[in-house]
Amino acid sequence: MAEANPFAPPPGHVNVPAWTSLDDYLWHSCDIVADLLAGSLARRPLIATTARLQRGDRALAVGPGKRSTWRAPGNGRYQHNSVVAVGNPAFVIGSLLGSAVGNSARRREAARDAQPRWMVDGPGEVTITRQKLHFRSDAAGLDLDWKDLSAIDLVWVDAFQTSFVNTRGQQVTTMVHTPWASLAFALAAITAFPAHPRLLSGGWLPPGFEQKCAGFGRPCRPAARLAAPQ
């Protein structure tokens, strides 16, 4: 199966070249990755962040984000109601039928809730560092150390997806929507997945992005080619 293109426009979309705010994020992502590969991250200005950093680590980018987790909202259990009805036959039959219909509806709803799906955990702030992605949220924080990830992918231009084993030994699949998604993917791949197809192909940037930058008078450093082992 061909690899999905996270930069492909939706069906029916007419692509009109324009410089967008997301292009700014991608341009800066190229600059950060180029500095990383050149060993010159130290020259970059310090970025303020509330994330707790390990010794030797540094924040490279901070921005908005939203986290989703692949999970089931329920476990298949439901409250089974038993009805004891007395009285005339019509009343008894109606009561039992109503109870059966209610139990059947609750059983179907419980079965649907037992099926995993993308569940939105809420918005927050994303900090990208040399070593990890930190997601700060009032609902549920998250630290994704690049070296602890089981799998990664860039599923959309602004969505970074990954899997990891949590502290309870459970495999968790999560997605972070952020305009820094391409940067997160590139750093994670360079650190822990150097043979990732999207890294080797330069597919973590939109096709023709360097040419687009040049056309708008904002030439970018060729980070996509530099990231792919020669």
Side-chain angles (χ1 to χ4, degrees):
M1 180 181 295
E3 184 184 50
N5 181 3
F7 304 105
H13 175 79
V14 178
N15 186 27
V16 178
W19 189 267
T20 67
S21 60
L22 188 55
D23 289 322
D24 281 324
Y25 284 97
L26 293 172
W27 188 93
H28 286 292
S29 295
C30 286
D31 200 51
I32 293 169
V33 171
D35 274 340
L36 167 66
L37 297 171
S40 54
L41 285 179
R43 78 173 184 85
R44 303 193 62 83
L46 292 177
I47 302 294
T49 177
T50 58
R52 182 175 180 177
L53 303 180
Q54 299 174 2
R55 183 181 297 274
D57 198 8
R58 63 181 294 153
L60 300 175
V62 175
K66 181 177 67 176
R67 179 190 175 190
S68 301
T69 304
W70 182 258
R71 68 178 189 275
N75 57 13
R77 297 178 182 175
Y78 69 100
Q79 182 66 44
H80 181 88
N81 290 341
S82 298
V83 174
V84 177
V86 295
N88 63 63
F91 173 77
V92 171
I93 293 174
S95 298
L96 295 177
L97 180 60
S99 176
V101 170
N103 284 328
S104 177
R106 285 188 289 273
R107 183 169 59 250
R108 289 194 302 271
E109 183 177 1
R112 287 194 298 268
D113 285 347
Q115 300 301 312
R117 68 200 71 171
W118 285 113
M119 302 287 294
V120 177
D121 298 311
E125 182 181 77
V126 171
T127 298
I128 306 292
T129 82
R130 175 65 185 88
Q131 300 176 11
K132 68 180 181 179
L133 181 153
H134 173 79
F135 180 79
R136 183 177 65 84
S137 169
D138 293 336
L142 181 68
D143 269 317
L144 298 174
D145 191 297
W146 307 137
K147 294 182 179 180
D148 291 337
L149 304 182
S150 306
I152 60 167
D153 203 0
L154 185 66
V155 296
W156 190 242
V157 66
D158 61 352
F160 172 74
Q161 182 176 317
T162 185
S163 298
F164 61 96
V165 178
N166 65 16
T167 55
R168 296 190 294 272
Q170 301 168 321
Q171 186 76 26
V172 177
T173 299
T174 192
M175 186 185 303
V176 179
H177 296 264
T178 173
W180 290 116
S182 287
L183 176 62
F185 172 84
L187 294 177
I190 291 169
T191 302
F193 303 86
H196 196 291
R198 198 177 298 286
L199 180 68
L200 297 182
S201 67
W204 57 275
L205 288 173
F209 181 69
E210 293 178 18
Q211 291 80 359
K212 178 178 182 178
C213 290
F216 278 88
R218 297 191 58 180
C220 69
R221 298 161 73 185
R225 294 197 304 273
L226 291 174
Q230 302 299 316

